[in-house]
Amino acid sequence: MPAANIQVSETPLVLYALRRADDALVLGHRLSEWCGHAPMMEEDMALSNIALDLIGQARELYTYAAKAEGKGNDEDKLAYLRDVRQYRNLLLVEQPNGDFAQTLVRQFFYSAFADLYWRAMMTSRDATLAAIAAKSEKESAYHLRHASEWIIRLGDGTDESRQRAQAAIDHLWAFTGEMFAADEGERALIHAGIAVDPGTLRGRWMTTLSEVVGEATLHLPQGDWMQQGGRSGRHSEHLGHLLSELQSMQRTFPGQTW
Amino acid sequence: MYTQALNTAEADDRGLEDAGRAAQFQARIDAEERIEPNDWMPAAYRKTLTRQISQHAHSEIVGMLPEGNWITRAPSLRRKAALLAKVQDECGHGLYLYAAAETLGTSREELVDAMLAGKAKYSSIFNYPTLTWADIGTIGWLVDGAAIMNQIPLCRCSYGPYARAMIRVCKEESFHQRQGYEIMLTLCRGSDEQKAMAQDALDRWWWPVLMMFGPPDATSQHSDTSTKWKIKRFSNDELRQKFVDATVPQAQYLGLAIPDPGMTRDKEGHWRYSDIDWTEFKQVLAGNGPCNRDRMAARRKSHDEGAWVREAAAAYAAKRAQRQTAQAAE
């Protein structure tokens, strides 16, 4: 009898922490898929490092979500016993690794946002979120620097790398809009000074992107159609496969300690 | 992760070299002095060490694959982070070992190419598959345990860069070993299903781990020079026995049975194991282990698919250098 899904009482605060935890775990998991397969050993190290930071962030955020919910869930139940429709991450982070350019562009789009986001969250009125932000901001700053350097190298490298980097930007662009959206529950948290209005970060995010992409001799797409749905559990087909792998042990051997 | 005594012969060409310098070199070794990259050394010493250190580095990198196989399926977030960090450590070991080998005059690219071409060896143990989560515990406990047994004496190896790399590597391996044992302990204190998983993993890994120490002393002909040069300080069988003696009580504590019904304890307290199936060892070394082809294919795939990234990085670095030169000239 495989382990069943848990139910989570998604109050605005629980949902808020859960969404950021899912972003960090799913992206960390994606990066961990590179471990042992990167184009050079230095990148095996770097991508694993970033994955470890993100998994660390996820653990803190899940633990906080579980505490805020107060129903006896914990980091592992939240990570391993929710199905695809219960996951709340951005569509961007669940996109497959693709080639190295796609992985780095995905990381660049996300880290350019996360760096601003966590810096702003350091002044959250929620002490736990502010503490998580203080740690995550330092990590995100490094993730952004690493990704930016690669965007520039790939864009201004060879014809092939330039073409691959541009293709990755064009492909992933439509998943970036979701980062700046906030629903009603989040609006209330923003109003209370617990959350940051992501919309206010967009201008600076665009500035970072324009600078790096410009130096890389690449360009940002003109299109403004944006995919949405991750925050409410309407995901791409990719996430289910990721979760079936991530959760396989907990689903096969329910209720055991590892 | 680990170096293996493969005991490949090297041509002894010391006769061709300055006999005086060779005597001086040996005197330094005998006085337990460290040989450093810029020091004179016999060509065969250089060759032996390049082979051994690079083989060790290849083992670290190939060794990422069997454990990496479980990163995406680790059963808890804590285990996932620990395993990822561990595999990352192995990569770090590979990097500093390649760097140590490079001090002897062969580039990392050449060494890696030799491995990808199938000309250089890596540890036979990584040609076995990781089938269950218990294999991750067993690798930490036994494979890293055997690696430590092999590598602690290498911290005193006569070649300075290798010895220093080993000191750091051993510290991390010792942490991995405890982590692996803790996974096993958790399984053995868990459900019947988990305990059976642990026993099954031990059953599959025990004999291949004993083979990690290399062929029996009676059949090794080439340890002499390595011993004289203080690269090797203990024989294969001595290290293997030390490992078995240390491991049997650990298995007993876990409540697991060593898959060797003929094992006995002698008067001196040593656990005497049954005959090892050296045919299997030879087959694995010859490329016929369960995963040899998969491991090589995985390494070649990453290398080939990453070529455009490395080319891009090199092209960008060249462009940037050119721009800087042009700027300086203005």
Side-chain angles (χ1 to χ4, degrees):
Chain A
M1 186 55 192
N5 293 329
I6 54 161
Q7 295 307 316
V8 182
S9 311
E10 292 182 335
T11 64
L13 182 62
V14 170
L15 184 57
Y16 191 78
L18 213 45
R19 284 171 170 169
R20 275 81 211 164
D22 288 346
D23 286 346
L25 178 62
V26 171
L27 187 54
H29 182 97
R30 279 287 185 230
L31 292 174
S32 80
E33 292 171 356
W34 275 103
C35 186
H37 306 283
M40 56 191 80
M41 284 170 239
E42 286 79 356
E43 284 309 302
D44 270 314
M45 302 283 288
L47 297 177
S48 299
N49 244 332
I50 299 169
L52 279 166
D53 286 344
L54 291 167
I55 293 167
Q57 292 173 12
R59 294 184 65 187
E60 288 174 356
L61 288 160
Y62 281 134
T63 300
Y64 185 52
K67 192 179 155 213
E69 189 200 11
K71 299 270 173 73
N73 284 322
D74 58 27
E75 57 171 26
D76 286 333
K77 284 186 184 156
L78 289 171
Y80 291 94
L81 298 176
R82 283 178 306 135
D83 204 353
V84 65
R85 295 282 287 115
Q86 298 172 287
Y87 257 71
R88 303 292 179 223
N89 59 278
L90 298 164
L91 297 174
L92 175 68
V93 296
E94 73 197 40
Q95 297 309 307
N97 286 337
D99 62 10
F100 189 72
Q102 193 167 320
T103 293
L104 266 296
V105 168
R106 184 185 64 198
Q107 195 62 42
F108 174 59
F109 286 164
Y110 178 79
S111 297
F113 171 79
D115 185 44
L116 294 168
Y117 170 75
W118 288 120
R119 205 179 308 154
M121 280 297 285
M122 285 164 68
T123 56
S124 167
R125 284 198 192 145
D126 182 303
T128 308
L129 290 177
I132 294 172
K135 180 171 162 285
S136 304
E137 191 276 326
K138 289 191 194 81
E139 294 167 347
S140 302
Y142 158 70
H143 303 170
L144 175 59
R145 200 179 76 203
H146 171 264
S148 302
E149 285 170 1
W150 270 112
I151 300 305
I152 294 166
R153 259 182 226 125
L154 296 180
D156 197 16
T158 62
D159 288 343
E160 181 180 6
S161 67
R162 186 190 149 75
Q163 178 266 318
R164 284 175 184 263
Q166 188 61 56
I169 289 175
D170 296 345
H171 173 62
L172 293 169
W173 182 246
F175 298 109
T176 57
E178 207 178 20
M179 293 191 286
F180 302 99
D183 63 12
E184 220 171 290
E186 292 199 0
R187 291 258 156 243
L189 294 174
I190 292 165
H191 189 68
I194 290 170
V196 166
D197 182 351
T200 60
L201 306 174
R202 189 175 209 138
R204 276 175 291 160
W205 181 79
M206 273 304 291
T207 306
T208 307
L209 256 63
S210 306
E211 280 171 13
V212 172
V213 167
E215 195 179 337
T217 71
L218 298 165
H219 60 267
L220 294 173
Q222 297 300 311
D224 58 2
W225 168 252
M226 291 291 159
Q227 299 289 348
Q228 309 267 345
R231 291 296 189 218
S232 53
R234 280 177 287 116
H235 291 279
S236 64
E237 290 177 349
H238 305 297
L239 184 64
H241 296 281
L242 182 153
L243 294 181
S244 67
E245 196 171 338
L246 172 82
Q247 300 179 338
S248 61
M249 289 291 289
Q250 291 272 351
R251 298 287 189 179
T252 312
F253 303 98
Q256 306 201 9
T257 303
W258 301 95
Chain B
M1 172 163 298
Y2 149 81
T3 173
Q4 183 154 40
L6 294 161
N7 301 331
T8 317
E10 289 302 343
D12 188 346
D13 50 6
R14 279 169 300 157
L16 304 171
E17 314 217 33
D18 181 340
R21 287 210 281 193
Q24 221 173 18
F25 173 81
Q26 190 59 48
R28 290 186 61 196
I29 301 253
D30 294 342
E32 296 286 336
E33 274 182 43
R34 292 273 172 279
I35 306 301
E36 296 300 335
N38 291 331
D39 296 347
W40 184 88
M41 63 187 83
Y45 178 83
R46 187 183 298 278
K47 202 170 164 187
T48 299
L49 273 166
T50 303
R51 192 201 64 231
Q52 180 168 333
I53 301 171
S54 62
Q55 211 165 271
H56 191 163
H58 303 328
S59 300
E60 300 284 357
I61 299 303
V62 177
M64 294 171 74
L65 299 172
E67 291 183 280
N69 185 36
W70 277 89
I71 291 171
T72 54
R73 290 178 292 165
S76 71
L77 293 180
R78 181 171 84 90
R79 294 294 187 201
K80 188 182 183 71
L83 180 59
L84 180 54
K86 187 197 170 190
V87 179
Q88 187 195 32
D89 281 350
E90 310 299 0
C91 185
H93 298 171
L95 270 172
Y96 21 98
L97 285 162
Y98 281 122
E102 281 188 314
T103 64
L104 291 159
T106 312
S107 71
R108 192 218 288 188
E109 288 71 23
E110 289 172 88
L111 297 169
V112 169
D113 285 347
M115 194 259 285
L116 295 175
K119 289 181 201 151
K121 290 198 176 354
Y122 57 87
S123 174
S124 59
I125 197 73
F126 301 121
N127 290 316
Y128 291 87
T130 51
L131 302 180
T132 70
W133 173 250
D135 291 33
I136 298 306
T138 307
I139 288 182
W141 171 36
L142 298 181
V143 175
D144 291 323
I148 294 166
M149 227 29 116
N150 258 325
Q151 287 167 193
I152 292 281
L154 287 172
C155 297
R156 293 186 293 131
C157 161
S158 61
Y159 189 56
Y162 193 28
R164 288 188 289 273
M166 279 304 103
I167 292 171
R168 180 160 172 189
V169 168
C170 280
K171 279 186 191 151
E172 293 182 351
E173 293 298 3
S174 151
F175 182 69
H176 298 165
Q177 201 259 349
R178 276 175 285 165
Q179 212 169 51
Y181 193 70
E182 199 258 323
I183 291 177
M184 296 306 276
L185 201 58
T186 307
L187 293 175
C188 291
R189 286 178 179 168
S191 65
D192 289 349
E193 210 171 11
Q194 286 174 305
K195 199 167 172 187
M197 194 188 274
Q199 182 64 56
D200 168 64
L202 176 58
D203 291 347
R204 283 181 288 114
W205 289 92
W206 176 253
W207 293 105
V209 166
L210 292 195
M211 294 173 199
M212 283 173 68
F213 295 92
D217 296 350
T219 64
S220 327
Q221 316 142 36
H222 303 288
S223 302
D224 295 357
T225 348
S226 279
T227 307
K228 192 178 164 197
W229 283 333
K230 298 200 173 163
I231 296 170
K232 193 172 174 66
R233 290 180 184 260
F234 296 97
S235 78
N236 296 353
D237 284 338
E238 280 169 343
L239 289 168
R240 187 164 20 240
Q241 188 60 54
K242 267 175 123 164
F243 171 79
V244 171
D245 289 341
T247 305
V248 170
Q250 294 169 357
Q252 288 170 336
Y253 185 76
L254 292 173
L256 296 177
I258 302 274
D260 179 0
M263 183 179 264
T264 53
R265 200 171 190 194
D266 70 11
K267 282 182 295 204
E268 284 104 48
H270 294 298
W271 290 96
R272 297 297 177 191
Y273 47 89
S274 305
D275 290 341
I276 293 171
D277 178 6
W278 292 110
T279 317
E280 176 180 326
F281 181 66
K282 278 177 201 146
Q283 283 298 328
V284 176
L285 282 191
N288 297 323
C291 298
N292 294 57
R293 287 169 184 82
D294 289 345
R295 301 293 184 240
M296 288 304 287
R299 285 314 311 155
R300 285 178 187 140
K301 183 171 185 276
S302 307
H303 188 79
D304 294 347
E305 288 180 359
W308 70 269
V309 179
R310 296 190 299 276
E311 282 158 19
Y316 175 73
K319 278 188 206 175
R320 204 170 64 160
Q322 209 170 33
R323 280 178 212 142
Q324 276 165 352
T325 315
Q327 253 174 5
E330 275 170 19

